[in-house]
Amino acid sequence: MNAHLIFIFFLSSLLQDGLTQRVYYGPEGESITVRCSFKFPGGTKLFCRKSCEDGDVLIKTKDVTAQRDRYSIRYEGGNFFSQLRTFVHVTIKQLRKSDSGRYMCRLKRPFHPDLETIVKIIVTDALPSSTPNWSVEPTPTSLPAAIATAPSSSSPETSELPQSSALQITALVLNVSFIIIIIITLTVTVMVFCRIRTSKHTVAG
């Protein structure tokens, strides 16, 4: 009788392996990865919505990795002779609010009952936009302003140099012109004086 009860308990543990429901939370628009744990390795891996009927299968593969639409699967198998467990990792991209609900991981084994694990996904509100953080950072806008003000601060010094040079040139031109005028005036005066003196000598003779 005891052996019979032990066999029933062992068989039920195989059939119910991993049926403990785990809850995963993920924000809308992001990705989420759930992990289904099994005691034994298997062949075909399925990830289903609610149950693994034909219309509920989201992704199914015999490979170690696979992808279909927004769903991807990765198999991490143990073996019968070690204590290592088998894991099926499933990633859902671009979460939607409609993705919230109950899911099933199923691991098919040849000549053995299938193994199943139940998980629950709850999609929360989308993460707040990071746009306000961009306005807080002053570096991109302050640098051009600083660069733009740098030439204006030094522009008076650079503009004073041409102005002082122009004033010096103007003063030099005025001085030269004044000297030339004086020379011309003296020359004309001397010529007039000489002509008057010459004319007096001519009259006297």
Side-chain angles (χ1 to χ4, degrees), residues 181-196:
I181 291 172
I182 291 175
I183 293 173
I184 292 173
T185 303
L186 290 176
T187 303
V188 172
T189 303
V190 170
M191 291 176 62
V192 171
F193 177 76
C194 291
R195 180 171 296 182
I196 293 172

Side-chain angles (χ1 to χ4, degrees), residues 37 44 65 88 108 110 117 119 126:
S37 176
T44 303
T65 59
V88 175
K108 287 183 172 293
T117 294
V119 296

Side-chain angles (χ1 to χ4, degrees), residues 84-133:
L84 296 177
R85 295 184 66 88
T86 296
F87 299 102
V88 175
H89 306 270
V90 180
T91 300
I92 305 176
K93 297 180 179 179
Q94 300 175 356
L95 282 174
R96 307 166 185 168
K97 283 297 184 70
S98 59
D99 290 328
S100 296
R102 176 178 177 271
Y103 293 82
M104 174 180 288
C105 295
R106 175 174 289 179
L107 194 60
K108 287 183 172 293
R109 303 187 302 158
F111 312 111
H112 292 83
D114 295 343
L115 303 178
E116 295 175 346
T117 294
I118 303 299
V119 296
K120 185 177 182 180
I121 294 177
I122 298 177
V123 180
T124 59
D125 293 335
L127 296 175
S129 175
S130 58
T131 303
N133 294 334

Side-chain angles (χ1 to χ4, degrees), residues 11-33:
L11 181 61
S12 63
S13 66
L14 290 179
L15 294 175
Q16 300 296 324
D17 178 39
L19 282 182
T20 302
Q21 179 173 293
R22 300 186 63 179
V23 181
Y24 293 85
Y25 296 85
E28 185 179 12
E30 302 293 330
S31 299
I32 190 173
T33 299

Side-chain angles (χ1 to χ4, degrees), residues 142-153:
S142 62
L143 284 178
I147 295 173
T149 55
S152 61
S153 62

Side-chain angles (χ1 to χ4, degrees), residues 37-171:
S37 176
F38 302 97
K39 292 180 180 179
F40 302 100
T44 303
K45 284 75 65 178
L46 297 90
F47 185 70
C48 316
R49 187 69 184 261
K50 296 181 180 179
S51 62
C52 285
E53 302 299 330
D54 292 338
D56 296 329
V57 177
L58 301 173
I59 184 170
K60 177 181 179 180
T61 182
K62 294 182 179 180
D63 299 328
V64 176
T65 59
Q67 183 171 353
R68 178 190 178 193
D69 297 331
R70 297 186 298 128
Y71 307 95
S72 60
I73 196 168
R74 180 173 63 88
Y75 177 71
E76 183 181 347
N79 57 67
F80 291 99
F81 306 103
S82 68
Q83 298 298 322
L84 296 177
R85 295 184 66 88
T86 296
F87 299 102
V88 175
H89 306 270
V90 180
T91 300
I92 305 176
K93 297 180 179 179
Q94 300 175 356
L95 282 174
R96 307 166 185 168
K97 283 297 184 70
S98 59
D99 290 328
S100 296
R102 176 178 177 271
Y103 293 82
M104 174 180 288
C105 295
R106 175 174 289 179
L107 194 60
K108 287 183 172 293
R109 303 187 302 158
F111 312 111
H112 292 83
D114 295 343
L115 303 178
E116 295 175 346
T117 294
I118 303 299
V119 296
K120 185 177 182 180
I121 294 177
I122 298 177
V123 180
T124 59
D125 293 335
L127 296 175
S129 175
S130 58
T131 303
N133 294 334
W134 300 343
S135 61
V136 174
E137 299 178 1
T139 305
T141 55
S142 62
L143 284 178
I147 295 173
T149 55
S152 61
S153 62
S154 61
S155 58
E157 298 179 0
T158 56
S159 61
E160 288 178 358
L161 293 177
Q163 290 179 0
S164 61
S165 300
L167 291 176
Q168 292 177 0
I169 293 174
T170 303

